[in-house]
Amino acid sequence: MMRALKVLIATPEAIPFAKTGGLADVTGALPKVLQGLGCEVRLIMPFYRQIQESGEKAEIKDTGIQVSVSLGFRELSVPVFQSSANNVPAYFLKRDEYYDRKYLYTMPDGDYFDNAERFILFSRAVVEAIKKLNFKPDIIHCHDWQTGLISAFLKTIYKNDQFFADTKTVFTIHNIAYQGQFPQSHFPLTGLPHEIFTPDGIEFWGNMNLLKAGIVFSDIITTVSEKYSKEIQTPEFGYGLEGILMAKKDNLFGVLNGVDYDDWSPEKDKFIISKYDYKDLSGKAKCRQDLLKEYSLNLSDDAPVIGIISRLADQKGFDILSQAMEDLMNMNLGMVVLGTGERKYHDLFEGLAKKYPKKLGIKITFDNKIAHKIEAGSDMFLMPSKYEPCGLNQIYSLKYGTIPIVRATGGLDDTIDDYDPKVAEGNGFKFNEYSSKALIVKVNKALEAFSDKKEWKKLVLNAMQQDFSWERSAKRYVELYKRLMIEKP
Ligand code: ADP
């Protein structure tokens, strides 16, 4: 029998420890499933304040191991902590002046000024820590710009280090718009050789670009849906990195994110007032009442509730949604919004909620419990994104019988099929043109379908029975890992 594949997941966030978005859902779920498929998995991330404040704190112990990490001219000592709570051991790298902060990367007024330093240190400390922990990975699977330097270190400073002689790297891009770009003056902090500060290496128009480092130096690059893997090779979606991605296209793959149905299914959801499944939907009606109460809305039964859980950002389609809001508020529907993000959208939606207090509810906060209540209690879920690498909430929505209305981009396009009433096929509503007009037309189509109770129920049941569990996606990752093992000299 072949020995177990050893995989290290290096990530800036993962549930249940710390989360700002979908990345944490992915890095929280994937390790468990990989382990179930026979891999030997470890996770490694910074020890943030969020973790100290989370319910996981009690399970986290000091390993007694410290690594010494170079950061420019300084040598910093980084203690390694470990959680024994999960089946997958997780390591936390502690350096309080960098990670003991209110937010992970960005404050309401902007990014932390020393993000370069914070994640150069993290990436270098990952490499040093696994040596000292004596976990010799076959694969280091890195996620997003914060970990982009790991493969650059392995291919340069550590290239003759026997410990890593058999280690390969996979780099997953969760959102190419976030690249970790910093002035060249930060480059010496990395300790990397000057020869790689070129347009073929880590340089991007005079700056240091950490996402680009991940793309250039990793053995395989993946992104979180098939469609997005094609989109990012074009100028419209590539944010300047389309050229380098096209050049590496033979090693670029789209692997759709899965869903952890232990967390996100109405049968098991511990946050909702009444559990339900596709055989008995009575609980969903109770969840709807509970949601309306939570948002103090007053809505008749024939008006659907449209849910939104999102970062309030242009990427998520808030510009076209803003233009459509007055029209939407004049339709027979209600809307509940949960999100944080750009101040202009906070103000706009709060203003609209005052104008339409019975129909529109807004909560400007990050709250996992309310997110679950929205998934269960809404009838429809709106994601009019400008671009969407994968998108998770539309997939969660399907399981809750909450019908997605999406724009056809990235993972939204890969997961949602436009409903055709003639043949009663499809699992949601999908529009192409990025405009408020196209959005309104599609919402109208959804309202039409909703008004026919029998037709709607069929659509709901169809959606609820779809399966996007992690198993398939994790198997695809294992295939890619094994491909690298075979390619080994
Ligand atoms: P993103 O681009 O933000 O990562 P995804 O759709 O991939 O978008 O994932 C977003 C994740 O974050 C989902 O699990 C969603 O429920 C969660 N989320 C987003 N905003 C909030 C919020 N304000 N409160 C609670 N959860 C949120």
Side-chain angles (χ1 to χ4, degrees):
M1 214 177 84
M2 260 180 74
R3 68 168 178 83
L5 208 62
K6 289 189 173 182
V7 182
L8 178 78
I9 305 280
T11 178
E13 57 183 89
I15 59 159
F17 308 111
K19 166 168 172 172
T20 66
L23 166 61
D25 292 351
V26 173
T27 50
L30 178 63
K32 287 192 283 182
V33 187
L34 287 174
Q35 192 113 311
L37 292 174
C39 300
E40 194 183 329
V41 188
R42 301 279 187 278
L43 183 125
I44 191 160
M45 64 186 287
F47 199 159
Y48 301 109
R49 182 183 300 173
Q50 266 198 28
I51 301 176
Q52 321 234 31
E53 289 167 351
S54 77
E56 302 303 314
K57 185 177 178 240
E59 301 293 336
I60 297 174
K61 306 275 181 305
D62 192 343
T63 60
I65 290 174
Q66 305 214 352
V67 288
S68 178
V69 181
S70 309
L71 189 68
F73 291 114
R74 292 187 295 157
E75 279 291 320
L76 300 179
S77 160
V78 180
V80 183
F81 283 66
Q82 179 174 1
S83 154
S84 49
N86 258 321
N87 285 335
V88 179
Y91 300 119
F92 306 95
L93 302 177
K94 190 161 161 64
R95 192 72 208 188
D96 286 347
E97 77 269 38
Y98 290 121
Y99 310 127
D100 183 18
R101 299 186 185 178
K102 183 162 183 202
Y103 300 96
L104 265 49
Y105 331 113
T106 308
M107 301 168 288
D109 300 330
D111 290 348
Y112 285 125
F113 76 97
D114 57 352
N115 272 348
E117 224 169 300
R118 298 172 76 216
F119 291 101
I120 291 169
L121 175 78
F122 173 64
S123 297
R124 189 75 187 260
V126 167
V127 179
E128 290 294 338
I130 50 178
K131 276 182 79 170
K132 203 129 183 203
L133 291 160
N134 204 20
F135 181 74
K136 204 186 245 192
D138 298 301
I139 302 290
I140 305 183
H141 188 163
C142 302
H143 295 266
D144 273 355
W145 68 263
Q146 293 91 338
T147 63
L149 285 175
I150 293 174
S151 49
F153 288 136
L154 293 191
K155 292 267 162 68
T156 55
I157 299 171
Y158 296 85
K159 81 166 182 262
N160 295 321
D161 189 323
Q162 275 313 302
F163 188 85
F164 297 110
D166 295 324
T167 301
K168 299 283 183 179
T169 48
V170 174
F171 183 67
T172 298
I173 301 167
H174 293 261
N175 189 335
I176 204 163
Y178 298 88
Q179 299 188 355
Q181 281 198 59
F182 304 98
Q184 182 177 2
S185 55
H186 290 77
F187 182 69
L189 288 174
T190 64
L192 286 163
H194 274 285
E195 301 86 82
I196 72 163
F197 199 85
T198 63
D200 289 337
I202 187 172
E203 184 199 339
F204 186 74
W205 302 107
N207 284 334
M208 170 173 80
N209 183 321
L210 301 189
L211 191 87
K212 192 175 173 201
I215 295 170
V216 170
F217 291 101
S218 299
D219 299 305
I220 275 184
I221 303 136
T222 72
T223 187
V224 287
S225 68
E226 192 63 45
K227 175 103 187 233
Y228 194 60
S229 75
K230 301 284 182 294
E231 287 174 339
I232 55 177
Q233 296 178 52
T234 66
E236 189 187 347
F237 293 94
Y239 282 80
L241 294 176
E242 58 277 6
I244 194 97
L245 285 164
M246 256 188 299
K248 293 204 76 168
K249 72 172 187 305
D250 291 343
N251 290 316
L252 169 63
F253 302 91
V255 184
L256 191 74
N257 287 334
V259 176
D260 189 340
Y261 287 124
D262 286 340
D263 278 344
W264 294 98
S265 75
E267 290 124 84
K268 296 187 183 162
D269 197 318
K270 50 184 187 293
F271 297 113
I272 60 179
I273 193 157
S274 176
K275 297 190 185 13
Y276 61 93
D277 61 19
Y278 73 93
K279 290 184 205 118
D280 178 5
L281 289 172
S282 55
K284 185 160 178 67
K286 291 185 191 137
C287 290
R288 179 180 142 123
Q289 282 315 316
D290 181 52
L291 180 64
L292 292 176
K293 204 166 115 204
E294 175 80 48
Y295 274 88
S296 308
L297 298 190
N298 189 351
L299 215 61
S300 64
D301 286 350
D302 63 345
V305 182
I306 300 184
I308 295 181
I309 306 164
S310 182
R311 284 185 287 116
L312 306 181
D314 289 345
Q315 180 214 326
K316 299 290 182 181
F318 276 85
D319 47 355
I320 59 169
L321 180 61
S322 305
Q323 291 158 18
M325 277 310 284
E326 287 290 347
D327 284 314
L328 294 178
M329 286 296 103
N330 285 312
M331 295 177 177
N332 186 28
L333 56 81
M335 194 181 270
V336 294
V337 181
L338 173 66
T340 53
E342 291 176 34
R343 170 105 32 220
K344 63 179 177 191
Y345 294 126
H346 292 193
D347 297 345
L348 186 105
F349 276 87
E350 277 174 345
L352 281 164
K354 281 201 186 104
K355 190 167 168 193
Y356 299 100
K358 289 184 183 162
K359 302 185 82 173
L360 176 64
I362 304 291
K363 288 190 193 285
I364 306 287
T365 175
F366 196 96
D367 188 319
N368 190 39
K369 182 173 179 186
I370 297 175
H372 283 256
K373 283 177 176 244
I374 291 178
E375 285 295 359
S378 303
D379 300 291
M380 303 169 185
F381 196 91
L382 182 59
M383 291 179 82
S385 304
K386 186 177 278 170
Y387 70 92
E388 192 63 73
C390 175
L392 290 169
N393 283 109
Q394 84 280 13
I395 315 181
Y396 301 157
S397 296
L398 291 171
K399 195 42 124 201
Y400 286 83
T402 299
I403 302 303
I405 305 170
V406 306
R407 175 158 176 272
T409 181
L412 296 173
D413 200 19
D414 284 353
T415 53
I416 303 304
D417 294 319
D418 195 29
Y419 180 67
D420 180 352
K422 283 189 222 102
V423 283
E425 271 173 14
N427 59 3
F429 295 87
K430 186 160 78 173
F431 60 99
N432 280 296
E433 191 186 278
Y434 188 68
S435 71
S436 55
K437 201 169 141 230
L439 188 163
I440 292 165
V441 168
K442 222 14 110 171
V443 171
N444 253 321
K445 285 258 182 280
L447 294 192
E448 259 172 50
F450 186 77
S451 65
D452 181 336
K453 287 271 167 288
K454 243 170 95 189
E455 185 183 338
W456 190 257
K457 190 167 178 195
K458 253 202 263 168
L459 179 54
V460 165
L461 294 184
N462 185 27
M464 290 180 82
Q465 288 173 80
Q466 295 208 304
D467 183 10
F468 286 92
S469 54
W470 260 108
E471 193 89 341
R472 191 173 25 162
S473 310
K475 279 187 180 149
R476 181 73 182 124
Y477 280 121
V478 172
E479 263 170 45
L480 294 174
Y481 299 159
K482 285 193 174 154
R483 178 186 173 125
L484 287 174
M485 308 307 299
I486 291 162
E487 278 173 10
K488 232 167 39 188

